[in-house]
């Protein structure tokens, strides 16, 4: 059973920072790609950032230069460092992994950017 546990969401003021974590119950070495997605109310879920097994990362244009995706192989954990947060970053953030051609999702964590 593959499990993904997210943490780190919360309420932050515009310009602030948060770091999201996604802990996987499987070895990261077996995962083809890991990514963060988000879904705001009334909008479709969208890719925020993704990193592949060979450490190639790509970002949604709206977060380039502000967000950084990383992973700790020893802890089987992926991170999303979010800086210079904007109100439009408010959403539920989900982690997703691609493992043996299947997708697995975390439960989501709420990020709210508001003064």
């Amino acid at each position: 059973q593959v499990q993904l546990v997210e943490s780190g969401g919360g309420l932050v003021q515009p310009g602030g920072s948060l770091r999201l974590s996604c802990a996987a119950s499987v070895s990261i070495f077996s995962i083809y790609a890991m990514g963060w997605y988000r879904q705001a109310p009334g909008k479709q879920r969208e890719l925020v950032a993704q990193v592949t097994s060979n450490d190639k990362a790509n970002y949604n244009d709206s977060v380039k230069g502000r967000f950084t995706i990383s992973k700790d192989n020893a802890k089987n954990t992926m991170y999303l460092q979010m800086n210079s947060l904007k109100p439009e970053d408010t959403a539920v953030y989900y982690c997703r992994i691609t493992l043996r051609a299947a997708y697995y999702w975390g439960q989501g964590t709420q990020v709210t950017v508001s003064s």
Side-chain angles (χ1 to χ4, degrees), residues 32-49:
Y32 172 70
M34 303 182 73
W36 289 97
Y37 290 72
R38 68 186 179 188
Q39 187 166 20
K43 295 188 177 181
Q44 289 189 329
R45 192 172 297 189
E46 64 176 0
L47 174 68
V48 177

Side-chain angles (χ1 to χ4, degrees), residues 72-93:
D72 185 330
N73 294 335
K75 295 181 178 180
N76 295 327
T77 300
M78 173 179 64
Y79 303 98
L80 184 68
Q81 178 66 44
M82 306 186 293
N83 299 328
S84 302
L85 282 160
K86 304 175 181 180
E88 51 264 44
D89 294 318
T90 295
V92 177
Y93 284 70

Side-chain angles (χ1 to χ4, degrees), residues 10-94:
L11 173 64
V12 64
Q13 292 187 342
S17 298
L18 283 175
R19 189 177 79 155
L20 305 182
S21 300
C22 174
S25 63
V26 295
S27 170
I28 282 184
F29 290 109
S30 64
I31 297 171
Y32 172 70
M34 303 182 73
W36 289 97
Y37 290 72
R38 68 186 179 188
Q39 187 166 20
K43 295 188 177 181
Q44 289 189 329
R45 192 172 297 189
E46 64 176 0
L47 174 68
V48 177
Q50 178 173 275
V51 60
T52 61
S53 56
N54 61 354
D55 293 328
K56 181 178 179 180
N58 62 284
Y59 296 89
N60 186 306
D61 285 345
S62 67
V63 307
K64 283 181 180 177
R66 300 188 298 121
F67 291 11
T68 303
I69 190 170
S70 63
K71 53 183 179 172
D72 185 330
N73 294 335
K75 295 181 178 180
N76 295 327
T77 300
M78 173 179 64
Y79 303 98
L80 184 68
Q81 178 66 44
M82 306 186 293
N83 299 328
S84 302
L85 282 160
K86 304 175 181 180
E88 51 264 44
D89 294 318
T90 295
V92 177
Y93 284 70
Y94 300 88

